[in-house]
Amino acid sequence: MAAYAHPEVLVTTEWVANHLADPRVRIVESDEDRGLYTMGHVPGAVEIDWQVDLQAPLERDYIDRAAFERLCSERGISNDTTVVFYGDKNNWWACYTFWVFKLYGHPECRIMDGGRKRWELDGRTWSTERVAPPHARYTATEQDASIRALRDEVLRHQKSGRQLLDVRSPEEYRGERMHMPDYPNEGAVRGGHIPGAVNVPWVRACNDDGTFKSARDLEKLYVREVKLKRRSPTIAYCRIGERSSLTWFVLKYLLGAT
Amino acid sequence: MDTVASRVERIVGEFADLDPREKLELLVEFAAGLPPLPESHRARRAEAEGRVHECQTPVFLWPEVIDGRARLVAEVAPEAPTVKGFVAILSQAVEGRPAAEAAALDEAVIDRTGLAEVLGMLRSRGLRAILARVKRGLLAAVPPTTSAPRPAAS
């Protein structure tokens, strides 16, 4: 395989630069730290924060459908808007936001390959201007349960010997540490991995400039190295969701896995 | 009078009446004002001493007391400007004040500045962990007073 399975989901920084004023396009930044967007964002981009905007305030869950509709409306996103996500560190949180948009059935979603890093490396302009698009009308679908696995489904999946992908660091996988290297513990209470899971750290899907690896390299990594079967269902997991969102994006859209 | 409490009041006042985006902008301004890590602490940073647990970003903190006066030496990764801004606020609040006064810094500052609301619950928990670490460090650095009651030898 020489090409991505769904190459249309990736856009370059050049494409984004050429669509800054396109009313059919909304550019969305999502980062670990909200200060990054504040210090400078792609001109015209709105911010969606994984914590304040996408997580329910009272339960350990994503926002509900009504809140998602409100969020899209406030960000000037309607059902037919092409939404381009980008952000820090290989687009990990951008993939998380992309995933939530797919959870509520948004059709046209893209990732700006390379995110903030590539935008910077390409010498493009940063803006600190306020962005307040006119509110839009938005109707979300029910959650797409096919892209989300809850505990009981994971258990059934595991018991039937299906593919489980642990995308955390090798040290977390082996139970030597309970958080990312260089990051403090955020509350994982037990070390180790789900029995049967193979380990492919999320970051291995990305190049140093924040872009995704080529189809050939991804195939080498997931298909040849860990023998992932693309036609067999896979559950990817990490700890709070941003790393597995990126791997989910890579497997589904770049490698064409089910 | 210049005290830790009066400095906190001034900072809270700066955040008052700002909308969420302006609060983030002000926080990022504070971040820009955090002095770079002094040479004296570079090697210790390499040993990962002073690391704060339970927050989401690599943060290195050295709460110190020199001649009874508090100071906060710190380094926060550039990819974490809001955390860096909060550490800069703490540093400004305690710098040069008596250690006991600095160690009494109230965590209500996180709510009163409105940062809890713009950063969310998980990040606020991280900020509280940073503040708790600074306070513990300052208290540990205060030499015991001679008038303190001492346990009898057994």
Side-chain angles (χ1 to χ4, degrees), chain A residues 31-39 47 49-52 55-57 88-89 128 130 179-187 240, chain B residues 19-22 24-25 28 51-59 78-83 117-125:
Chain A
D31 302 311
E32 169 87 26
D33 189 301
R34 301 193 63 189
L36 295 177
Y37 173 89
T38 308
M39 290 166 76
E47 182 199 15
D49 181 54
W50 60 277
Q51 200 171 129
V52 175
Q55 294 187 346
D88 63 332
K89 207 161 179 177
T128 53
R130 293 294 181 94
H179 46 86
M180 281 193 286
D182 299 328
Y183 279 64
N185 193 350
E186 293 162 324
I240 58 175
Chain B
D19 69 29
R21 183 58 61 194
E22 289 168 333
L24 287 165
E25 285 165 0
V28 161
R51 183 70 166 274
V52 169
H53 292 276
E54 291 148 36
C55 86
Q56 304 191 312
T57 317
V59 175
E79 63 265 26
T82 60
V83 177
E117 200 181 336
V118 295
L119 296 179
M121 197 171 57
L122 289 174
R123 295 188 185 106
S124 300
R125 205 165 67 192

Side-chain angles (χ1 to χ4, degrees), chain B residues 105-153:
Chain B
L105 209 166
D106 190 349
E107 74 168 34
V109 66
I110 298 167
D111 281 313
R112 294 185 62 217
T113 47
L115 295 183
E117 200 181 336
V118 295
L119 296 179
M121 197 171 57
L122 289 174
R123 295 188 185 106
S124 300
R125 205 165 67 192
L127 300 190
R128 277 196 287 277
I130 288 175
L131 178 53
R133 169 68 190 262
V134 168
K135 291 169 68 159
R136 273 200 306 275
L138 290 174
L139 286 173
V142 177
T145 55
T146 47
S147 61
R150 301 173 68 147

Side-chain angles (χ1 to χ4, degrees), chain B residues 10-31:
Chain B
R10 181 179 52 74
I11 292 166
V12 166
E14 284 185 56
F15 278 94
D17 301 325
L18 299 184
D19 69 29
R21 183 58 61 194
E22 289 168 333
K23 286 185 201 292
L24 287 165
E25 285 165 0
L26 180 56
L27 195 53
V28 161
E29 275 178 43
F30 272 104

Side-chain angles (χ1 to χ4, degrees), chain A residues 15-27 43-44:
Chain A
W15 187 95
V16 171
N18 290 333
H19 288 80
L20 295 180
D22 188 335
R24 294 163 301 177
V25 173
R26 180 70 58 210
I27 301 158

Side-chain angles (χ1 to χ4, degrees), chain A residues 1-5 214-219 223-224 230 254-256:
Chain A
M1 192 182 79
Y4 293 138
S214 68
R216 186 185 303 273
D217 286 349
L218 291 175
E219 198 173 60
V223 181
R224 271 183 264 161
R230 272 175 284 201
L254 305 185
L255 272 178

Side-chain angles (χ1 to χ4, degrees), chain B residues 20-75:
Chain B
R21 183 58 61 194
E22 289 168 333
K23 286 185 201 292
L24 287 165
E25 285 165 0
L26 180 56
L27 195 53
V28 161
E29 275 178 43
F30 272 104
L34 185 71
L37 196 65
E39 194 59 49
S40 53
H41 290 70
R42 296 267 163 82
R44 296 164 66 189
R45 182 207 178 286
E47 295 157 16
E49 185 198 342
R51 183 70 166 274
V52 169
H53 292 276
E54 291 148 36
C55 86
Q56 304 191 312
T57 317
V59 175
F60 299 90
L61 293 173
W62 291 272
E64 296 178 346
V65 178
I66 296 165
D67 298 332
R69 303 277 155 176
R71 75 164 180 169
L72 174 58
V73 177
E75 186 178 65

